[in-house]
Amino acid sequence: MSNKIAIIGGGNLGTAIAEGLMSSGFIKAENILITKRNTSTLKHLVDKGVQVSSNNEEAINFADYILFAVKPFQIKEVLVKLKPKLITKKHKIISVITGVWIKEMQELLGNNFSIFRVMPNTAIAIKESMTCITHDNANEEEIKFVADVFNQLGKTVFIEEKLMDAATVLAACGTAYAMRYIRANIQGGIEIGFNATIASLIAAQTVKGAAELLLQKNTHPEQEIDKVTTPKGCTIAGLNEMEHQGFSSSLIKGISTSYKKIVHDM
Ligand SMILES: NC(=O)c1ccc[n+]([C@@H]2O[C@H](COP(=O)([O-])OP(=O)(O)OC[C@H]3O[C@@H](n4cnc5c(N)ncnc54)[C@H](OP(=O)(O)O)[C@@H]3O)[C@@H](O)[C@H]2O)c1
């Protein structure tokens, strides 16, 4: 892959992307340049052959795909500074920044750049992200490249930009919801006899296996539930008690509350 990528903002997400792309072999280390103001935290990437800099202009000169991974409140200043150096025919813009709309970037950069807005989740660190992507002005080759980049780091889906807030809730907040579900399983597991270590292993691997069943067999959750529920058995008794206590309803209400918060307050 001969495209060069500059990652502006070598924090948690920026470094996870750089490491994932290198370890998958999709992009050679020498074709990645990553920036942050204090580069001392990026020594492990230098050791692997990645170029590291505190100079964003150097990154722009180096790469054709420019991936912005600074905090939301930092992006405006970064884009305004870089605008004179960005060339529409050369540079493609990728933003993983939560809550920053394509039109806001276009107000700063003009309408002629290929722009991608991307929403990964924290599982990108282990190349298991669910990444939602939307774009404007991009051609087929650019769309394929960006999809390929994030396919190295998990699964991808293209969505309309108006669904980006919903994607943030379901995929990014969703990691926290899943963790809380697993934690509750651990607490229950300890109550029925396991120590915390074994309960954690059983809970996490069971949830991983359940998710893989759906992903690999493309089945509906109820089909898989039917396979576990014996008439008058313990699974259906427990499941129904959870529903009487508001299990599904509380999850749906939580998702809806997160969505209202992101749309109205952020
Ligand atoms: N973490 C996630 O899972 C996740 C998921 C989806 C979206 N996001 C979005 O991804 C973005 C980054 O999140 P994060 O968790 O990686 O944050 P982070 O760890 O704080 O990383 C941001 C990095 O940007 C660097 N930076 C700040 N100003 C800069 C500048 N002018 N030039 C170059 N680098 C600069 C900072 O380093 P210095 O201070 O040394 O410059 C810092 O390392 C956020 O906008 C967030 O909304 C994150």
Side-chain angles (χ1 to χ4, degrees):
M1 180 54 60
S2 58
N3 285 318
K4 292 181 177 171
I5 288 197
I7 299 171
I8 310 289
N12 294 317
L13 194 56
T15 52
I17 291 171
E19 282 170 5
L21 290 178
M22 269 188 305
S23 68
S24 68
F26 182 70
I27 297 184
K28 286 189 187 141
E30 71 239 34
N31 287 338
I32 303 174
L33 192 156
I34 186 161
T35 73
K36 71 195 290 283
R37 291 164 302 186
N38 169 13
T39 56
S40 64
T41 57
L42 298 178
K43 195 179 169 313
H44 62 293
L45 290 177
V46 177
D47 294 343
K48 289 177 181 166
V50 173
Q51 306 202 43
V52 164
S53 173
S54 57
N55 182 342
N56 290 339
E57 291 187 10
E58 184 188 336
I60 300 298
N61 292 335
F62 169 84
D64 32 13
Y65 283 84
I66 316 295
L67 189 151
F68 291 92
V70 294
K71 289 286 191 198
F73 71 91
Q74 296 166 322
I75 186 61
K76 186 172 178 188
E77 188 188 336
V78 170
L79 284 181
V80 166
K81 268 195 191 152
L82 290 179
K83 185 185 173 184
K85 302 281 174 193
L86 286 166
I87 303 161
T88 46
K89 283 212 170 93
K90 178 183 178 197
H91 293 120
K92 276 70 72 174
I93 311 292
I94 305 172
S95 165
V96 294
I97 299 164
T98 312
V100 176
W101 290 71
I102 288 177
K103 74 171 173 356
E104 294 175 73
M105 290 183 274
Q106 287 172 331
E107 276 163 18
L108 295 168
L109 299 175
N111 293 329
N112 295 326
F113 285 97
S114 297
I115 299 193
F116 292 83
R117 186 176 164 199
V118 176
M119 175 54 59
N121 65 28
T122 49
I124 204 162
I126 54 159
K127 294 191 276 181
E128 284 291 352
S129 176
M130 180 64 242
T131 303
C132 297
I133 305 174
T134 191
H135 56 82
D136 193 40
N137 262 339
N139 65 33
E140 288 300 313
E141 192 188 332
E142 293 158 356
I143 294 167
K144 184 178 177 319
F145 177 74
V146 173
D148 283 349
V149 164
F150 287 94
N151 279 330
Q152 310 305 312
L153 306 166
K155 295 191 187 302
T156 56
V157 65
F158 282 88
I159 60 169
E160 291 180 64
E161 194 182 18
K162 68 180 181 194
L163 284 173
M164 265 296 166
D165 285 338
T168 306
V169 172
L170 207 57
C173 307
T175 304
Y177 308 147
M179 292 297 172
R180 193 53 73 78
Y181 169 78
I182 292 169
R183 191 191 75 166
N185 270 275
I186 295 167
Q187 289 171 317
I190 295 169
E191 194 164 322
I192 60 174
F194 290 108
N195 69 38
T197 309
I198 294 178
S200 302
L201 173 67
I202 293 174
Q205 176 61 27
T206 301
V207 169
K208 183 182 172 197
E212 282 295 329
L213 280 173
L214 298 181
L215 289 169
Q216 292 186 24
K217 292 166 69 176
N218 208 16
T219 46
H220 187 279
E222 284 306 321
Q223 284 173 276
E224 299 301 331
I225 288 174
D226 284 347
K227 292 174 192 164
V228 192
T229 45
T230 314
K232 286 188 141 184
C234 62
T235 310
I236 192 65
L239 271 179
N240 284 345
E241 177 62 21
M242 287 175 197
E243 291 303 340
H244 293 318
Q245 299 292 334
F247 179 69
S248 294
S249 173
S250 75
L251 281 178
I252 296 162
K253 281 185 175 169
I255 288 169
S256 171
T257 300
S258 290
Y259 183 71
K260 283 181 196 142
K261 181 85 183 163
I262 205 171
V263 169
H264 298 301
D265 295 352
M266 299 174 91

